[in-house]
Amino acid sequence: MSYSIMYNWQFLKSEEGLTPVVLMGDNNVTTSVWMGNHWGERCARDWSCLFNFIGVTEEEFMAAIQSLTGKSYQEHWKHNGKWVDDKGIINWAKNACKKAASVEQVAQLNPYISIKAQLSVWSKEDKHSYMLDEYIHSTAELDGWLRSAKPTMAALRQEGSHVYPIISFSSEKLRRCSAMTDQHPDKVLMKCKYGYVSGYDEESRTLHFNRDIKKALIMDYDTAVRVQTKEFYRSEPALRLVSAKAQEEPYDAIIRVTRRGDSYSCYYVSRTGGRKTYFVGDPRSAKKYRNMKVAEQTAERLTARSEQYNYEAIQLFSLEEAH
């Protein structure tokens, strides 16, 4: 059975409208890739414009999504190993439109990723070529390309050619923008997989990290963006900006893990990623949630999807007092 897989996406917004850029591929098409120490096979995937839409209105895009729904067959594509049904595709589309971003916003979040635009053309004689091949650095450049691409596509199709607009990012691991990224707090913290940035030294080109949010460095937004995009920090993990207000939360909630049928086993959640959950034995090394409500919601979700473990939200200070 052949089906499509959705890997990533980032819709672009400009004066010309909405351009839905997606990273997709088919499950029965594979390609060879270098996997660190050997060559292997994986499903092929490419960036493209969903429905071949460029610079359309949100209403036009949602109408195209709605046209896919209401049928007995509701397996539109797979994402993270799960089928996306009618409800899922509508929610996905609305959310993707809400989080559409400008070229500048995408570049700010992904400073080392480039954006390329081109037309893939197949003539009546079945000859392939690319047209309007350009790198995009700003929203103005994107709008200029869209204004050129639309009439060019119409003319080529009139001649009987098949034309596919392609806007692609130079990496599959693009970080998607959050909604309303043009509105930002005055004070922020910087976060990555190592914890929070607790200090930085421009002279030695180093960052210092601490897993305790209370020890995170509070920075002006503009300063944080400059540090985030500094060329000499390129080797560091991707830095994410979060509001400094997060530091005011108690951050004393953790999740305890027990194996079902085994009252002696006791672990704590250190981190979660995709469908995997990682444990530690020391509660002081456990992931700290900003409050009990968030921890309880996470514990409930983890318990529901696990066949082996029960997850329970607790407060770290209560454990420390018990000892």
Side-chain angles (χ1 to χ4, degrees):
M1 175 184 174
S2 176
Y3 56 85
S4 296
I5 304 173
M6 175 73 75
Y7 296 97
N8 203 353
W9 61 88
Q10 177 60 67
F11 290 10
L12 298 175
K13 62 181 179 181
S14 64
E15 287 186 5
E16 287 294 302
L18 182 76
T19 301
V21 183
V22 296
L23 179 65
M24 298 186 72
D26 293 330
N27 71 309
N28 60 350
V29 180
T30 61
T31 185
S32 296
V33 294
W34 180 249
M35 295 185 171
N37 57 4
H38 69 282
W39 286 95
E41 294 285 320
R42 72 166 191 179
C43 292
R45 63 207 66 175
D46 294 290
W47 290 102
S48 62
C49 299
L50 192 60
F51 306 130
N52 292 320
F53 278 178
I54 55 172
V56 299
T57 64
E58 185 174 331
E59 290 73 22
E60 289 175 302
F61 176 75
M62 289 305 302
I65 290 290
Q66 291 285 354
S67 70
L68 301 176
T69 64
K71 305 175 179 64
S72 58
Y73 184 80
Q74 290 202 17
E75 296 174 341
H76 299 292
W77 60 62
K78 274 191 173 182
H79 176 58
N80 286 339
K82 294 184 178 180
W83 284 108
V84 177
D85 59 11
D86 281 2
K87 181 180 178 181
I89 197 172
I90 290 173
N91 289 339
W92 170 83
K94 289 180 178 178
N95 192 49
C97 289
K98 181 181 178 182
K99 296 183 179 181
S102 66
V103 170
E104 289 80 3
Q105 289 169 330
V106 173
Q108 178 179 302
L109 197 60
N110 303 271
Y112 310 112
I113 291 180
S114 59
I115 304 174
K116 188 177 184 179
Q118 57 189 169
L119 297 180
S120 176
V121 183
W122 288 90
S123 68
K124 290 188 295 184
E125 294 77 23
D126 207 28
K127 293 182 179 180
H128 182 252
S129 62
Y130 289 106
M131 297 182 63
L132 301 182
D133 197 326
E134 298 179 17
Y135 280 97
I136 305 298
H137 305 93
S138 66
T139 298
E141 289 184 7
L142 174 62
D143 276 329
W145 184 86
L146 293 173
R147 294 185 187 108
S148 298
K150 289 178 180 180
T152 301
M153 290 170 61
L156 289 168
R157 287 169 176 166
Q158 189 71 26
E159 296 172 359
S161 297
H162 295 283
V163 189
Y164 306 95
I166 300 173
I167 293 181
S168 59
F169 302 103
S170 60
S171 173
E172 297 175 359
K173 297 181 179 180
L174 181 85
R175 295 176 63 200
R176 296 192 294 271
C177 296
S178 301
M180 300 177 67
T181 51
D182 55 332
Q183 297 183 14
H184 55 76
D186 293 332
K187 301 291 184 179
V188 297
L189 314 175
M190 289 194 293
K191 182 180 180 182
C192 71
K193 65 181 181 180
Y194 297 144
Y196 297 88
V197 172
S198 57
Y200 70 97
D201 188 332
E202 293 197 29
E203 185 176 345
S204 61
R205 300 185 175 185
T206 57
L207 296 175
H208 307 289
F209 300 97
N210 196 301
R211 291 195 175 277
D212 187 353
I213 191 174
K214 302 297 185 183
K215 297 179 181 178
L217 178 65
I218 298 177
M219 308 176 70
D220 293 332
Y221 177 82
D222 291 338
T223 302
V225 169
R226 182 174 58 82
V227 173
Q228 183 187 35
T229 56
K230 269 285 189 182
E231 179 66 23
F232 54 72
Y233 293 140
R234 187 168 185 171
S235 61
E236 297 291 351
L239 296 168
R240 181 165 61 92
L241 305 186
V242 297
S243 172
K245 289 183 178 179
Q247 207 173 46
E248 299 171 7
E249 296 284 352
Y251 277 88
D252 59 358
I254 61 175
I255 295 178
R256 179 164 54 196
V257 187
T258 54
R259 189 187 296 271
R260 293 173 187 172
D262 181 5
S263 59
Y264 294 100
S265 65
C266 183
Y267 311 98
Y268 303 90
V269 172
S270 62
R271 63 186 176 96
T272 58
R275 302 292 296 177
K276 292 184 178 181
T277 305
Y278 301 87
F279 303 154
V280 292
D282 187 348
R284 292 170 296 181
S285 300
K287 174 180 174 62
K288 298 175 181 62
Y289 295 84
R290 66 175 180 266
N291 53 49
M292 278 295 289
K293 181 179 180 180
V294 175
E296 287 169 352
Q297 291 173 341
T298 304
E300 183 178 349
R301 186 177 69 253
L302 293 174
T303 299
R305 79 182 191 190
S306 175
E307 297 179 356
Q308 292 182 288
Y309 300 100
N310 290 320
Y311 296 82
E312 177 192 7
I314 60 174
Q315 286 181 291
L316 179 60
F317 70 80
S318 63
L319 283 180
E320 294 173 343
E321 290 174 353
H323 289 84

